[in-house]
C-alpha cells in the first residue's frame, strides 16, 4: 500500500492540532516545533519503506501527544507572562 501525499498531510495536520492542545505554553511550543522540524527533515524522502517507517513513527507520536494532553489537562499549569491571562 503506497501512502499518498494527502494521507501524510492529514497526519501532519493531526499532529499540529493535537500539539496545540497542550495547556502548558512550553510543552505546546516544543511539540509544535518538533512536528514541523520532523516533517521538514523528511520532506525529501522518496524510498517507500522509509516513508512508511516515518509515518508509523508519526502515528506513535500522535498517540503519545494525545495521552500527554489528557494528563496535562489534569493539572493546572502556571501561566507565563507571555501568555494571555484568562479572566
Amino acid at each position: 500500500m503506497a501512502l499518498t501525499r494527502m494521507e501524510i498531510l492529514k497526519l501532519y495536520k493531526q499532529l499540529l492540532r493535537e500539539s496545540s492542545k497542550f495547556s502548558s505554553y512550553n510543552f505546546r511550543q516544543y511539540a509544535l516545533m518538533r512536528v514541523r522540524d520532523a516533517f521538514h527533515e523528511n520532506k525529501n524522502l522518496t524510498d517507500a519503506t522509509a516513508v512508511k517507517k516515518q509515518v508509523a513513527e508519526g502515528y506513535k507520536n500522535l498517540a503519545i501527544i494525545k495521552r500527554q494532553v489528557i494528563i496535562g489537562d489534569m493539572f493546572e499549569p502556571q501561566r507565563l507572562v507571555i501568555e494571555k491571562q484568562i479572566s
Side-chain angles (χ1 to χ4, degrees):
M1 177 186 134
L3 292 167
T4 65
R5 180 176 170 85
M6 291 303 292
E7 291 170 323
I8 295 170
L9 286 174
K10 182 181 173 184
L11 172 61
Y12 178 67
K13 288 179 182 181
Q14 286 177 320
L15 284 162
L16 289 177
R17 193 175 306 115
E18 286 301 317
S19 295
S20 66
K21 291 180 182 179
F22 277 110
S23 55
S24 169
Y25 176 83
N26 288 330
F27 287 139
R28 184 173 52 248
Q29 293 304 320
Y30 178 75
L32 291 169
M33 178 187 65
R34 287 293 299 136
V35 168
R36 289 184 188 114
D37 288 349
F39 273 81
H40 184 71
E41 287 172 13
N42 295 306
K43 72 179 181 180
N44 295 323
L45 281 181
T46 54
D47 180 37
T49 307
V51 171
K52 283 183 182 181
K53 182 179 177 185
Q54 291 300 319
V55 168
E57 185 71 24
Y59 279 111
K60 284 183 195 175
N61 287 331
L62 180 61
I64 291 170
I65 290 170
K66 285 181 178 184
R67 282 193 304 267
Q68 288 303 120
V69 166
I70 291 169
I71 292 170
D73 286 344
M74 292 179 185
F75 306 98
E76 184 61 34
Q78 193 173 16
R79 296 284 175 206
L80 300 175
V81 174
I82 58 176
E83 293 182 278
K84 285 193 262 181
Q85 298 298 322
I86 300 171
S87 309

